[in-house]
Amino acid sequence: MAGNRHQFILGLVIKKMREGGATISAVDGAYAGLFGEKIPLPPTILRHRPDAVGVKQDGRICIGEAKTESDIANNRIYEQLHDFATIELNGKICEVIVGIPKSSEDVFNRSLKRVGLQGNDNIHVLCVPDELIND
Amino acid sequence: MEKISVNLDGIPTEIKRTKIPLKQLILDIENPRIQYFLDTRLNDNVTQEKIKFALAEGNDQYEKLKEHIERNGGIYDPIWVAPQKDHFVVIEGNTRSFIYEELSEKYVNDGKWKSIDAYVMPHKIDRSVINFIRLEKHLFGPTPWDAYEKARELYRLHTNEDYSLKRLEQLTKLKAGDIRNNIQAYMDMEEQYLPKYNKPSERLKFSYFVEFRKNKDLKRLVKEGKLSLLEFCDWVGEGKFRRGEDIRKLSHVLKDEQSRQALIDDNFQAALDQLEQKNPAAKSKLFEKIEDVAEGLEGLPFGELNEIKTGLQPAKLDALKKLHYVVKNLLKDIGTTT
């Protein structure tokens, strides 16, 4: 298992993207689940490069993001989520799946509310129980 | 080849100790250590090569273990394998088997890396024995599983293989509270992967899902292709069930074509109404108990029956006479005689 918290959470985000019907087309970084295979780097979308990109059968783009405690405290990520959740690609608004540690859920939700993203139907939050994350 | 008799999970088992050529080994896809890699893979294609990658990449101790085995000139604790046709599935020792393969490529002329010391289990082996070996060797072994893999395996044993908390406590030597927390954490994770419905009232209830996974009859129907998880999720999402207890009776409904159709067309209650026409136990706790009693009496063990016959269990004989008396009078009242 990847020792890195970010990569660990990204793995579970990618699982959620796949189970939601997306075919993964691009992943950033040394992603463990690649098993050494090559896959393109995700393109920059507006101002940011997502961690993973997938395409659903109806052509809808699905964007995966993994966030650790330190990312969640950074305002930049909310600007990033706003970009991803409002852009139209392939004629459809993108679906965004964000994985966070469960212990950061309250802080994350408060920040989403502050920037007007709470309740956005295009953003799905995957809370990873901290007990599952290796330290 | 040395034959040894050992107790595995309390079951006396005859195993053999022998050297097995590496080319006859199959790495285990169910190995708990690599389940995070498999859960998070990018496509469905799982090969032996991918398993090898996961074994090396997924274990921080891999390089140290390899160095140790190389320096020692082999392993001293045999791996565990189960026969599968002409090959052997590695139940315990997948990483060590792969290290042997790597070392056999490094030292091509050294025969000692071409086969590995192994305990061979019998052809027909109970799954509980395999679970026992995995837990025994890895939950506290020299290279224990990571948090995710540990929680996943405890959840799997509890939910899919019906291991009670008490049994897990005995097998793992973990405290019941820790086991419960691990299982709950994994359940919380799994719940987020289930299909969700838009209205909060229509959200899939996870307790239904747990009941579904625990029910042996439902598991059999899934295996036979007569029921799918997605179909079940839809029924839950559409509000066809009222409580988790309904799921325990679901297999009876699905086995009867008309009741199944009533479930699809209407809801579980309608399906039970339909089923009641043929099976009164479907809706009545009393008739459910009558069915249990009839089944229990028909299957009364020979020893117990003999003790009643020979007068060693007078209270049991009285209970049977009472049952007979009550049933006889009831049938007389109804106007039916046997």
Side-chain angles (χ1 to χ4, degrees):
Chain A
M1 190 185 76
N4 178 303
R5 283 173 90 82
H6 178 269
Q7 289 301 98
F8 177 77
I9 295 171
L10 178 60
L12 297 172
V13 167
I14 286 178
K15 181 184 175 196
K16 175 118 181 116
M17 291 167 75
R18 287 194 67 220
E19 292 195 3
T23 301
I24 308 301
S25 54
V27 181
D28 193 6
Y31 178 64
L34 276 173
F35 297 101
E37 291 167 29
K38 296 260 184 268
I39 191 163
L41 203 63
T44 300
I45 296 176
L46 294 178
R47 294 166 285 182
H48 306 275
R49 187 195 299 281
D51 289 329
V53 173
V55 189
K56 290 196 161 185
Q57 255 188 343
D58 63 359
R60 190 179 186 195
I61 299 292
C62 182
I63 293 173
E65 275 291 317
K67 300 296 174 199
T68 61
E69 294 85 344
S70 53
D71 297 328
I72 286 163
N74 185 338
N75 279 333
R76 200 185 73 97
I77 74 152
Y78 302 99
E79 169 194 289
Q80 185 188 27
L81 292 180
H82 184 272
D83 281 3
F84 295 161
T86 51
I87 190 171
E88 200 173 291
L89 294 171
N90 280 358
K92 293 179 177 72
I93 295 285
C94 296
E95 181 183 15
V96 183
I97 296 174
V98 195
I100 60 166
K102 174 89 179 148
S103 54
S104 301
E105 192 181 8
D106 288 344
V107 181
F108 184 72
N109 283 338
R110 275 200 299 275
S111 303
L112 277 187
K113 193 175 179 182
R114 202 181 60 237
V115 295
L117 284 174
Q118 199 182 38
N120 186 316
D121 287 344
N122 305 317
I123 299 178
H124 305 281
V125 184
L126 181 74
C127 295
V128 180
D130 294 65
E131 294 92 331
L132 299 184
I133 309 174
N134 250 40
D135 286 315
Chain B
M1 191 182 294
E2 182 191 355
K3 282 188 180 176
I4 311 162
S5 186
V6 288
N7 272 16
L8 298 171
D9 196 23
I11 303 169
T13 312
E14 193 158 279
I15 56 170
K16 293 169 196 162
R17 183 171 176 169
T18 188
K19 293 241 179 221
I20 297 183
L22 296 184
K23 56 187 171 195
Q24 274 186 278
L25 294 179
I26 300 171
L27 299 175
D28 185 12
I29 195 169
E30 290 180 15
N31 178 7
R33 186 183 293 289
I34 59 167
Q35 294 309 309
Y36 172 80
F37 273 77
L38 298 183
D39 283 351
T40 60
R41 65 191 187 270
L42 293 189
N43 53 54
D44 292 332
N45 182 22
V46 181
T47 60
Q48 286 281 300
E49 290 311 308
K50 285 186 177 179
I51 294 177
K52 288 171 191 172
F53 184 89
L55 285 169
E57 290 295 311
N59 185 350
D60 296 340
Q61 302 294 314
Y62 179 79
E63 284 304 325
K64 277 187 186 166
L65 184 62
K66 184 176 166 185
E67 197 186 308
H68 177 78
I69 291 173
E70 185 176 8
R71 201 174 51 238
N72 190 53
I75 56 169
Y76 46 83
D77 183 18
I79 64 167
W80 287 77
V81 299
Q84 192 182 86
K85 292 180 187 164
D86 298 335
H87 289 77
F88 299 89
V89 176
V90 183
I91 300 303
E92 197 284 317
N94 283 277
T95 310
R96 289 179 291 158
S97 302
F98 178 47
I99 287 173
Y100 260 60
E101 193 181 314
E102 289 214 310
L103 293 174
S104 73
E105 283 163 12
K106 184 175 175 183
Y107 302 106
V108 281
N109 296 321
D110 191 343
K112 74 168 175 268
W113 301 113
K114 295 197 181 337
S115 61
I116 189 165
D117 198 13
Y119 289 129
V120 183
M121 289 192 275
H123 273 274
K124 280 187 181 168
I125 191 85
D126 199 285
R127 268 199 77 82
S128 68
V129 170
I130 292 175
N131 293 331
F132 173 81
I133 292 170
R134 283 184 184 141
L135 288 173
E136 192 74 7
K137 290 281 178 181
H138 284 293
L139 218 49
F140 295 101
T143 49
W145 296 329
D146 282 329
Y148 178 88
E149 279 105 24
K150 186 166 83 177
R152 190 187 194 283
E153 183 65 1
L154 290 171
Y155 167 84
R156 188 189 71 80
L157 291 171
H158 184 60
T159 310
N160 296 3
E161 300 210 17
D162 303 322
Y163 277 45
S164 65
L165 283 179
K166 195 171 173 58
R167 188 169 180 203
L168 285 173
E169 211 180 336
Q170 289 162 346
L171 278 171
T172 62
K173 301 166 201 92
L174 289 169
K175 288 180 190 155
D178 292 338
I179 296 172
R180 207 176 290 121
N181 288 345
N182 270 288
I183 292 172
Q184 189 59 51
Y186 195 79
M187 274 167 107
D188 290 346
M189 191 73 238
E190 277 290 278
E191 187 183 11
Q192 298 181 74
Y193 287 104
L194 292 172
K196 295 286 196 291
Y197 291 80
N198 293 329
K199 292 182 202 161
S201 60
E202 287 177 350
R203 275 195 62 191
L204 182 64
K205 292 185 179 169
F206 197 62
S207 62
Y208 291 9
F209 177 71
V210 172
E211 286 291 345
F212 177 85
R213 299 290 292 267
K214 278 169 87 164
N215 190 297
K216 283 178 186 163
D217 281 343
L218 292 177
K219 272 192 240 176
R220 199 174 307 122
L221 288 171
V222 171
K223 211 171 178 182
E224 290 166 1
K226 292 175 182 162
L227 172 67
S228 75
L229 178 59
L230 278 180
E231 198 173 19
F232 174 72
C233 287
D234 281 342
W235 291 339
V236 176
E238 289 161 11
K240 289 189 185 286
F241 304 104
R242 286 185 310 175
R243 50 183 182 261
E245 201 187 321
D246 291 349
I247 313 305
R248 287 177 220 155
K249 292 180 181 170
L250 179 60
S251 63
H252 299 297
V253 164
L254 297 178
K255 282 175 197 163
D256 179 71
E257 202 43 57
Q258 286 170 318
S259 308
R260 184 191 177 104
Q261 201 53 48
L263 172 69
I264 293 165
D265 295 341
D266 203 342
N267 58 27
F268 189 72
Q269 197 52 40
L272 280 188
D273 290 342
Q274 178 64 43
L275 189 61
E276 194 187 19
Q277 305 297 319
K278 293 175 190 168
N279 177 6
K283 278 182 75 180
S284 157
K285 281 210 184 310
L286 176 65
F287 279 89
E288 198 180 322
K289 283 177 187 164
I290 290 175
E291 218 171 54
D292 286 347
V293 168
E295 201 176 301
L297 289 177
E298 276 175 355
L300 207 63
F302 177 77
E304 197 173 355
L305 193 64
N306 209 33
E307 281 181 356
I308 299 171
K309 266 186 190 171
T310 52
L312 288 171
Q313 297 281 0
K316 287 186 181 173
L317 185 62
D318 287 346
L320 290 170
K321 280 181 181 170
K322 190 178 171 187
L323 178 68
H324 177 254
Y325 176 78
V326 171
V327 173
K328 197 175 82 176
N329 281 348
L330 186 68
L331 289 175
K332 203 171 158 189
D333 283 352
I334 296 167
T336 307
T337 48
T338 50

